[in-house]
Amino acid sequence: LGNAGFTLPTVDVDTITIGYPNAMVLMEHLQRMGEGNACATRQPRTGLDTFLAGACVYDETFPLENDEQQSNDSSVEASVQVIYAIGWSPHESQPQPLQRGSATHKVGDMVSHTTATNQDEKR
């Protein structure tokens, strides 16, 4: 963003967990979204035995937690990350960074103070 001329760049990430009935449905949704193997040396097609074995391993490895809505024990979960990148057009009203070395507090002191404050609140 900085190279594109934006100022005050900010990046935020949301991790979302989605439930699917099984790995086969998950893989179908990934394919329909255009997600796939982007390797230049990938094989043009995955064999049926490899596909089924991968689905079985996924079903066993990633069972859906908190499966209150569905009574089906074969549900699986997938996590996706949505990345937001925000930048602003330069303007004179934007805050400007202070000169390097002009800080009056150390970050380490603030972390230890925050940790101590949080521990006091828990008591």
Side-chain angles (χ1 to χ4, degrees), residues 12 21 26 29 38 44 58 68 73 75 81-82 84 90 108 113 119:
D12 192 17
L26 167 61
H29 282 195
Y58 195 93
E68 298 166 359
D73 291 334
S75 8
Q81 288 186 322
V82 180
Y84 305 95
H113 176 71
Q119 290 175 352

Side-chain angles (χ1 to χ4, degrees), residues 42-89:
R42 72 178 186 270
Q43 295 193 1
R45 187 173 180 281
T46 301
L48 181 60
D49 55 344
T50 304
F51 184 75
L52 290 174
C56 289
V57 169
Y58 195 93
D59 285 343
E60 292 296 319
T61 308
F62 300 103
L64 183 62
E65 296 178 9
N66 300 327
D67 196 10
E68 298 166 359
Q69 292 86 10
Q70 298 177 350
S71 60
N72 185 2
D73 291 334
S74 65
S75 8
V76 296
E77 70 179 20
S79 297
V80 296
Q81 288 186 322
V82 180
I83 302 172
Y84 305 95
I86 303 168
W88 303 95
S89 297

